[in-house]
Amino acid sequence: MTKKVPERTCLSCGEKLPKRELIRIVRDSNGALHLDPSGKMPGRGAYLCGRETCTLDKSFRKRLQASFKTSVTDDAFEALLAEVQAYVK
């Protein structure tokens, strides 16, 4: 019997991939967004595949806001993008 591999959907492109291949973004109890490379931080999470086209997609910010049910300030969004791009490289 083979073990089922959990899949998640990329927030930007909508592609389903194994959970370990995606980057987790988490909203903490204070409402701040953080990158969660371990996948174990508490809080609501969303996943991103990490392709450059996904991080640069104009609809990414809107989907991020919809997923976390909150507004994302310009500074917070830019900081998150910088974190993701540094992690991907």
Side-chain angles (χ1 to χ4, degrees):
M1 181 185 255
T2 59
K3 190 173 183 180
K4 185 180 176 200
V5 177
E7 288 187 335
R8 298 292 184 264
T9 303
C10 173
L11 192 62
S12 186
C13 67
E15 186 177 347
K16 282 193 172 211
L17 294 167
K19 184 178 173 181
R20 294 201 181 259
E21 292 180 21
L22 297 169
I23 302 166
R24 184 170 188 247
I25 300 168
V26 67
R27 185 184 77 190
D28 64 15
S29 59
N30 298 330
L33 300 177
H34 301 284
L35 193 65
D36 180 16
S38 69
K40 297 179 191 244
M41 287 176 68
R44 180 160 177 81
Y47 294 85
L48 184 66
C49 68
R51 291 188 201 118
E52 191 173 347
T53 54
C54 286
T55 57
L56 297 177
D57 186 15
K58 293 187 187 282
S59 64
F60 172 56
R61 183 173 179 172
K62 288 181 183 178
R63 291 179 183 167
L64 192 65
Q65 293 180 130
S67 177
F68 290 121
K69 298 176 182 141
T70 186
S71 61
V72 179
T73 65
D74 290 338
D75 293 337
F77 185 68
E78 292 300 323
L80 180 65
L81 277 182
E83 259 188 278
V84 169
Q85 289 170 350
Y87 180 76
V88 170
K89 290 180 182 179

